[in-house]
Amino acid sequence: TLNPGGVRIGTSEIYRIVEGLPEIADCVVVGKDTADDDVEVCLFVVLRPGVTLDSVLAKKIRTAIAEGATRRHVPKHIRAVSAIPYTRNSKKVEMAVRQMIHGQDVPNVDALANPESLEQYRGIV
């Protein structure tokens, strides 16, 4: 659950919309703490082969989220990544991504199916 501006947002609402876009192979969404005690929504996408994250695609993603959910769900940051970290049980690891973007260490790296995917998130936003 994310909490930008004090509004609770379920990440599954964003996944449902973004993963339905033909350009997106996978994604993960997390909250990034700000200096004023708020949270910015950060979306990381794995693109299908031949697709580039440009301003047109970023606008398409933001528009789809705003229309399919609410304006509060629209991410402040959208970044392309090569992989999303998963547990060995095939669950997205939002907490590990959140820790990496905040410059923190991830304690349970051994529980990940693809721990090598984490380093790309360090300081990405």
Side-chain angles (χ1 to χ4, degrees):
T1 302
L2 306 174
N3 200 4
V7 177
R8 293 177 56 89
I9 294 174
T11 56
S12 64
E13 298 169 71
I14 296 172
Y15 292 141
R16 176 182 48 81
I17 296 163
V18 176
E19 291 173 353
L21 297 173
E23 299 89 346
I24 308 300
D26 201 0
C27 65
V28 65
V29 64
V30 299
K32 180 179 184 211
D33 299 333
T34 65
D36 58 351
D37 291 328
D38 200 0
V39 175
E40 296 174 341
V41 178
C42 302
L43 174 66
F44 301 98
V45 294
V46 177
L47 303 169
R48 298 221 181 261
V51 175
T52 304
L53 180 61
D54 56 14
S55 61
V56 173
L57 180 55
K59 182 177 180 181
K60 179 179 180 178
I61 293 168
R62 286 185 169 102
T63 300
I65 293 170
E67 291 175 354
T70 69
R71 302 256 346 125
R72 283 280 188 194
H73 289 76
V74 175
K76 173 149 176 114
H77 307 281
I78 302 175
R79 302 288 188 272
V81 293
S82 61
I84 304 298
Y86 280 88
T87 66
R88 296 186 190 280
N89 295 329
S90 301
K91 293 183 181 179
K92 291 181 189 191
V93 189
E94 295 169 351
M95 184 55 73
V97 171
R98 189 175 193 290
Q99 289 167 323
M100 291 298 288
I101 68 170
H102 285 96
Q104 301 167 348
D105 291 329
V106 177
N108 301 4
V109 177
D110 295 341
L112 299 181
N114 56 342
E116 69 283 352
S117 68
L118 282 180
E119 194 54 41
Q120 68 186 320
Y121 293 92
R122 189 176 304 276
I124 196 170
V125 288

